PDB file of all heavy atoms in Angstrom:
ATOM      1  N   ASP Q 394     -18.757  17.613   0.321  1.00  0.00           N
ATOM      2  CA  ASP Q 394     -17.972  16.428   0.711  1.00  0.00           C
ATOM      3  C   ASP Q 394     -17.230  16.672   2.040  1.00  0.00           C
ATOM      4  O   ASP Q 394     -17.052  15.738   2.822  1.00  0.00           O
ATOM      5  CB  ASP Q 394     -16.975  16.061  -0.384  1.00  0.00           C
ATOM      6  CG  ASP Q 394     -17.654  15.416  -1.581  1.00  0.00           C
ATOM      7  OD1 ASP Q 394     -18.807  14.988  -1.457  1.00  0.00           O
ATOM      8  OD2 ASP Q 394     -17.023  15.337  -2.645  1.00  0.00           O
ATOM      9  N   LYS Q 395     -16.845  17.908   2.271  1.00  0.00           N
ATOM     10  CA  LYS Q 395     -16.122  18.203   3.513  1.00  0.00           C
ATOM     11  C   LYS Q 395     -17.060  17.997   4.733  1.00  0.00           C
ATOM     12  O   LYS Q 395     -16.636  17.492   5.763  1.00  0.00           O
ATOM     13  CB  LYS Q 395     -15.567  19.609   3.508  1.00  0.00           C
ATOM     14  CG  LYS Q 395     -14.742  19.949   4.747  1.00  0.00           C
ATOM     15  CD  LYS Q 395     -13.978  21.279   4.575  1.00  0.00           C
ATOM     16  CE  LYS Q 395     -12.821  21.137   3.637  1.00  0.00           C
ATOM     17  NZ  LYS Q 395     -11.930  22.318   3.666  1.00  0.00           N
ATOM     18  N   ARG Q 396     -18.321  18.381   4.576  1.00  0.00           N
ATOM     19  CA  ARG Q 396     -19.269  18.172   5.676  1.00  0.00           C
ATOM     20  C   ARG Q 396     -19.416  16.669   5.966  1.00  0.00           C
ATOM     21  O   ARG Q 396     -19.459  16.257   7.141  1.00  0.00           O
ATOM     22  CB  ARG Q 396     -20.619  18.778   5.344  1.00  0.00           C
ATOM     23  CG  ARG Q 396     -20.670  20.306   5.408  1.00  0.00           C
ATOM     24  CD  ARG Q 396     -22.098  20.829   5.381  1.00  0.00           C
ATOM     25  NE  ARG Q 396     -22.766  20.488   4.132  1.00  0.00           N
ATOM     26  CZ  ARG Q 396     -22.739  21.261   3.062  1.00  0.00           C
ATOM     27  NH1 ARG Q 396     -22.079  22.409   3.074  1.00  0.00           N
ATOM     28  NH2 ARG Q 396     -23.412  20.905   1.970  1.00  0.00           N
ATOM     29  N   LYS Q 397     -19.515  15.880   4.910  1.00  0.00           N
ATOM     30  CA  LYS Q 397     -19.620  14.436   5.076  1.00  0.00           C
ATOM     31  C   LYS Q 397     -18.355  13.904   5.732  1.00  0.00           C
ATOM     32  O   LYS Q 397     -18.409  13.007   6.596  1.00  0.00           O
ATOM     33  CB  LYS Q 397     -19.871  13.761   3.724  1.00  0.00           C
ATOM     34  CG  LYS Q 397     -21.222  14.021   3.129  1.00  0.00           C
ATOM     35  CD  LYS Q 397     -21.377  13.275   1.820  1.00  0.00           C
ATOM     36  CE  LYS Q 397     -22.791  13.424   1.261  1.00  0.00           C
ATOM     37  NZ  LYS Q 397     -23.063  14.818   0.864  1.00  0.00           N
ATOM     38  N   PHE Q 398     -17.196  14.416   5.310  1.00  0.00           N
ATOM     39  CA  PHE Q 398     -15.951  13.947   5.878  1.00  0.00           C
ATOM     40  C   PHE Q 398     -15.874  14.240   7.368  1.00  0.00           C
ATOM     41  O   PHE Q 398     -15.423  13.380   8.145  1.00  0.00           O
ATOM     42  CB  PHE Q 398     -14.754  14.589   5.175  1.00  0.00           C
ATOM     43  CG  PHE Q 398     -13.458  14.383   5.889  1.00  0.00           C
ATOM     44  CD1 PHE Q 398     -12.756  13.181   5.758  1.00  0.00           C
ATOM     45  CD2 PHE Q 398     -12.926  15.338   6.754  1.00  0.00           C
ATOM     46  CE1 PHE Q 398     -11.578  12.966   6.455  1.00  0.00           C
ATOM     47  CE2 PHE Q 398     -11.768  15.129   7.460  1.00  0.00           C
ATOM     48  CZ  PHE Q 398     -11.076  13.933   7.292  1.00  0.00           C
ATOM     49  N   LEU Q 399     -16.257  15.433   7.787  1.00  0.00           N
ATOM     50  CA  LEU Q 399     -16.160  15.813   9.186  1.00  0.00           C
ATOM     51  C   LEU Q 399     -17.048  14.921  10.053  1.00  0.00           C
ATOM     52  O   LEU Q 399     -16.668  14.546  11.180  1.00  0.00           O
ATOM     53  CB  LEU Q 399     -16.536  17.276   9.354  1.00  0.00           C
ATOM     54  CG  LEU Q 399     -15.545  18.276   8.736  1.00  0.00           C
ATOM     55  CD1 LEU Q 399     -16.060  19.703   8.882  1.00  0.00           C
ATOM     56  CD2 LEU Q 399     -14.149  18.135   9.339  1.00  0.00           C
ATOM     57  N   GLU Q 400     -18.223  14.532   9.553  1.00  0.00           N
ATOM     58  CA  GLU Q 400     -19.066  13.580  10.268  1.00  0.00           C
ATOM     59  C   GLU Q 400     -18.382  12.213  10.347  1.00  0.00           C
ATOM     60  O   GLU Q 400     -18.367  11.568  11.407  1.00  0.00           O
ATOM     61  CB  GLU Q 400     -20.415  13.450   9.570  1.00  0.00           C
ATOM     62  CG  GLU Q 400     -21.283  14.712   9.579  1.00  0.00           C
ATOM     63  CD  GLU Q 400     -22.541  14.556   8.751  1.00  0.00           C
ATOM     64  OE1 GLU Q 400     -22.704  13.482   8.155  1.00  0.00           O
ATOM     65  OE2 GLU Q 400     -23.371  15.503   8.736  1.00  0.00           O
ATOM     66  N   PHE Q 401     -17.822  11.805   9.217  1.00  0.00           N
ATOM     67  CA  PHE Q 401     -17.118  10.534   9.148  1.00  0.00           C
ATOM     68  C   PHE Q 401     -15.910  10.528  10.107  1.00  0.00           C
ATOM     69  O   PHE Q 401     -15.698   9.554  10.833  1.00  0.00           O
ATOM     70  CB  PHE Q 401     -16.639  10.331   7.703  1.00  0.00           C
ATOM     71  CG  PHE Q 401     -15.609   9.262   7.517  1.00  0.00           C
ATOM     72  CD1 PHE Q 401     -15.957   7.906   7.432  1.00  0.00           C
ATOM     73  CD2 PHE Q 401     -14.251   9.568   7.431  1.00  0.00           C
ATOM     74  CE1 PHE Q 401     -15.017   6.929   7.256  1.00  0.00           C
ATOM     75  CE2 PHE Q 401     -13.288   8.604   7.238  1.00  0.00           C
ATOM     76  CZ  PHE Q 401     -13.684   7.257   7.164  1.00  0.00           C
ATOM     77  N   ARG Q 402     -15.158  11.620  10.126  1.00  0.00           N
ATOM     78  CA  ARG Q 402     -13.961  11.693  11.008  1.00  0.00           C
ATOM     79  C   ARG Q 402     -14.345  11.559  12.477  1.00  0.00           C
ATOM     80  O   ARG Q 402     -13.663  10.883  13.271  1.00  0.00           O
ATOM     81  CB  ARG Q 402     -13.236  13.021  10.791  1.00  0.00           C
ATOM     82  CG  ARG Q 402     -11.866  13.105  11.443  1.00  0.00           C
ATOM     83  CD  ARG Q 402     -11.574  14.520  11.883  1.00  0.00           C
ATOM     84  NE  ARG Q 402     -12.375  14.884  13.035  1.00  0.00           N
ATOM     85  CZ  ARG Q 402     -12.582  16.135  13.425  1.00  0.00           C
ATOM     86  NH1 ARG Q 402     -12.110  17.150  12.761  1.00  0.00           N
ATOM     87  NH2 ARG Q 402     -13.309  16.363  14.509  1.00  0.00           N
TER      88      ARG Q 402
END
Side-chain angles (χ1 to χ4, degrees):
D394 286 344
K395 184 170 287 191
R396 286 194 297 270
K397 291 182 175 66
F398 168 81
L399 293 176
E400 294 175 357
F401 165 82
R402 190 213 73 198

